[in-house]
Amino acid sequence: MSLTPHADLDLHLEVGETRPARALERALRDAIVTGRVTAGCRLPTTRSLAADLGVARTTVSEVYAQLAAEGWLESRVGAGTWVAETAPSRPDRAEAQAAEPDGRPRPYWGGYPDASLFPLGEWAAAARRAADAATLAELGYSEDLRGSLRLRAELASYLRRTRGAQVSPERIVIGQGFSGLLALTCRAMAGAGARRLAVEEYGHPAHREIAAAAGLELVPVPVDGEGADVSRLGPGIDGVLLTPAHQFPTGVPLSPARRRAVIAWAQQTGGLVIEDDYDGEFRYERRAVGALQAMAPDQVMYIGTASKALGPAVGLAWAAVPKTRLAGLIAQRSVLNEPRDTLNQLTLAEFIAAHSYDRQVRRMRAEYRRRREYLAARLAARVPRARLAGVPAGIQAFVILPAGTDPDQVVAAGLRRGLAFKALHEYAASAGSGNPPAIVAGFGASPATRAQSDIHLVVAAIEESIADRCRLSEGEN
Ligand SMILES: Cc1ncc(COP(=O)(O)O)c(C=O)c1O
């Protein structure tokens, strides 16, 4: 099939022989994103578009239905199909260029959630109920260093229900964010004689610093299309820190074979698996894979956090702890004398009990899913040689740039536009030159009103860098 402009719509479709539905979907998204068709604009009937393009009518119907399900289009029997009011559209240019009021670029980093969508009203109501219900014992010095029993009970049933975890309130320890629990875990490991912790080749630099500060030697493990290559773990390794649901930041889940392999390694060697489930709730195409912890609760320290669905301001995270590790963890807490924070914990317990946490997860999942799809569509339309890698999940996207692109140049182009994001190599555990050209776009970080325009900025930064490179190589010839 050849290029076929549609008369009414001026659609410019390059529909390939093999995947006409894909191409049509992409072309329609592009037409909407770039403003060639705007909200309310009626689309041709399936029959006439199919005839124009020389594709089956069912192909067009399916694409319309898919885009309607995603909120891009609306249709009514008898009235036809049109572009939805809520469909993404070209943002105002001035807004798109805006940086922080003081001119500093805004963070657009992986793992940053949108603070503008924090459910302040529901949180305040939960805080009120929690304060009303708090007992004198809860308001005093607590004897139980694991944290509020009410919160641990709510979390145990939440984690069983949503992540398939095998956990009871006795085995849960509440902490100050994922990083706080990681620090306790690493210190407890070192205190028990551990020396070497394997970490994914790419990961959060702060987490490596925490482990190193606890006295553990870090051993990077390569990451590929199946997640961390756990076959590299040997008997000389005491533990491994993994992001199994959605590798941070490359976005691949740990494959079933590797999940089995890492559990087998832990069972054979007595090593500890630390499961960082930072964004396990945010999977978009299908249900998330369950927690690795469910396969081996005595080998896996599962850690989840409220920092993504709610926000870092809550500052709470939870660990489901293997039986043999519980005393060591609590001993560290006692030494460090971390703040008790009981009222905050009781608020979160109320918030979960009232199903506000579930509602918030659903709201944010829909929001972040839209953002990711919008970024994918925008990239496909403007820089088809760049691509999103990893599964549709999470609050950041891993963008592989066309071969030869300098990711630092893309980062610099982003900074000039007021957005701070990072190149893949900034997440690498060891300095080296083998990193693919890629950036991590933290679409979750934008305030909702700027989500679209920020995506335009990132894509523009990529476009500019590629154009520069073309000019450069033309000049060289
Ligand atoms: C990979 C990863 N794990 C965990 C977290 C959560 O950290 P915390 O609970 O300390 O906010 C983040 C936050 O950015 C992250 O990127």
Side-chain angles (χ1 to χ4, degrees):
M1 271 164 278
S2 56
L3 290 176
T4 314
H6 185 274
D8 307 342
L9 258 181
D10 190 26
L11 267 187
H12 191 67
L13 299 182
E14 198 152 2
V15 182
E17 298 276 356
T18 47
R19 313 187 86 168
R22 260 284 174 84
L24 176 57
E25 205 178 299
R26 179 181 291 186
L28 281 171
R29 280 192 224 268
D30 179 39
I32 297 169
V33 166
T34 54
R36 278 187 287 139
V37 289
T38 49
C41 175
R42 271 161 77 99
L43 298 186
T45 61
T46 52
R47 183 191 300 275
S48 82
L49 188 55
D52 264 6
L53 299 176
V55 300
R57 194 174 163 191
T58 48
T59 302
V60 180
S61 316
E62 275 164 22
V63 169
Y64 279 10
Q66 172 69 26
L67 293 178
E70 292 174 12
W72 295 72
L73 302 180
E74 278 180 71
S75 60
R76 209 171 332 110
V77 181
T81 302
W82 59 95
V83 179
E85 288 297 331
T86 50
S89 60
R90 189 193 293 275
D92 175 52
R93 185 171 295 267
E95 163 84 354
Q97 297 292 338
E100 286 279 88
D102 63 4
R104 259 185 314 148
R106 282 178 294 120
Y108 203 66
W109 291 319
Y112 267 48
D114 179 355
S116 77
L117 297 177
F118 191 96
L120 282 169
E122 272 180 282
W123 184 261
R128 174 83 229 186
R129 291 195 304 277
D132 283 345
T135 63
L136 287 184
E138 284 170 332
L139 292 173
Y141 285 107
S142 164
E143 297 291 306
D144 195 332
L145 293 176
R146 288 172 295 190
S148 149
L149 175 58
R150 271 204 250 174
L151 177 56
R152 288 187 285 121
E154 289 297 340
L155 282 169
S157 61
Y158 176 78
L159 294 173
R160 282 196 298 263
R161 175 164 59 80
T162 62
R163 307 293 297 121
Q166 284 196 53
V167 64
S168 62
E170 293 68 44
R171 293 266 204 99
I172 290 188
V173 172
I174 309 296
Q176 310 292 315
F178 171 82
S179 10
L181 285 167
L182 179 66
L184 291 182
T185 306
C186 292
R187 289 174 60 106
M189 286 176 72
R195 289 182 27 244
R196 303 172 83 209
L197 178 73
V199 292
E200 292 165 325
E201 170 185 23
Y202 299 110
H204 204 309
H207 299 162
R208 293 194 293 266
E209 281 167 25
I210 287 170
L216 297 175
E217 181 196 337
L218 303 178
V219 183
V221 172
V223 166
D224 58 24
E226 290 187 63
D229 183 0
V230 294
S231 68
R232 305 291 185 99
L233 301 176
I237 304 282
D238 300 291
V240 57
L241 172 60
L242 294 175
T243 45
H246 187 221
Q247 205 282 324
F248 184 87
T250 65
V252 287
L254 193 64
S255 71
R258 292 210 177 146
R259 284 164 71 94
R260 288 192 297 274
V262 74
I263 297 298
W265 165 81
Q267 283 164 342
Q268 280 154 21
T269 64
L272 177 67
V273 180
I274 307 172
E275 176 174 19
D276 175 0
D277 197 37
Y278 68 109
D279 69 355
E281 288 125 334
F282 297 116
R283 182 85 191 242
Y284 306 132
E285 270 181 350
R286 55 193 175 93
R287 282 197 62 184
V289 280
L292 188 61
Q293 187 267 1
M295 294 170 71
D298 286 328
Q299 272 72 40
V300 180
M301 170 91 74
Y302 169 95
I303 307 182
T305 175
S307 290
K308 310 298 160 201
L310 276 172
V314 171
L316 293 174
W318 40 88
V321 184
K323 191 161 52 208
T324 55
R325 309 272 176 171
L326 200 52
L329 209 67
I330 288 171
Q332 290 302 323
R333 159 139 312 151
S334 164
V335 174
L336 292 176
N337 194 21
E338 289 183 315
R340 276 179 178 72
D341 206 13
T342 314
L343 282 171
N344 199 31
Q345 295 185 23
L346 291 172
T347 301
L348 182 57
E350 275 293 331
F351 196 82
I352 297 172
H355 301 294
S356 297
Y357 198 81
D358 281 305
R359 269 197 297 279
Q360 176 68 3
V361 166
R362 275 201 301 276
R363 269 195 295 264
M364 300 311 290
R365 195 187 283 140
E367 171 70 22
Y368 292 141
R369 176 187 183 152
R370 270 196 298 276
R371 293 186 192 183
R372 194 181 189 282
E373 283 171 354
Y374 188 69
L375 172 57
R378 182 81 182 179
L379 264 184
R382 306 295 284 256
V383 201
R385 285 184 307 132
R387 67 184 175 87
L388 287 195
V391 289
I395 65 177
Q396 68 277 327
F398 182 54
V399 184
I400 301 193
L401 304 166
T405 313
D406 177 359
D408 291 325
Q409 206 181 329
V410 180
V411 169
L415 289 173
R416 283 197 296 279
R417 289 172 168 77
L419 273 195
F421 49 85
K422 291 185 178 165
L424 173 65
H425 66 79
E426 297 178 72
Y427 294 93
S430 38
S433 51
N435 306 302
I439 59 157
V440 178
F443 57 79
S446 304
T449 54
R450 284 178 159 181
Q452 270 185 33
S453 49
D454 283 352
I455 287 171
H456 290 208
L457 295 179
V458 183
V459 174
I462 299 173
E463 260 184 306
E464 179 196 300
S465 310
I466 292 173
D468 276 359
R469 192 164 61 83
C470 292
R471 269 198 298 280
L472 213 82
S473 48
E474 275 165 21
E476 281 164 3
N477 289 338

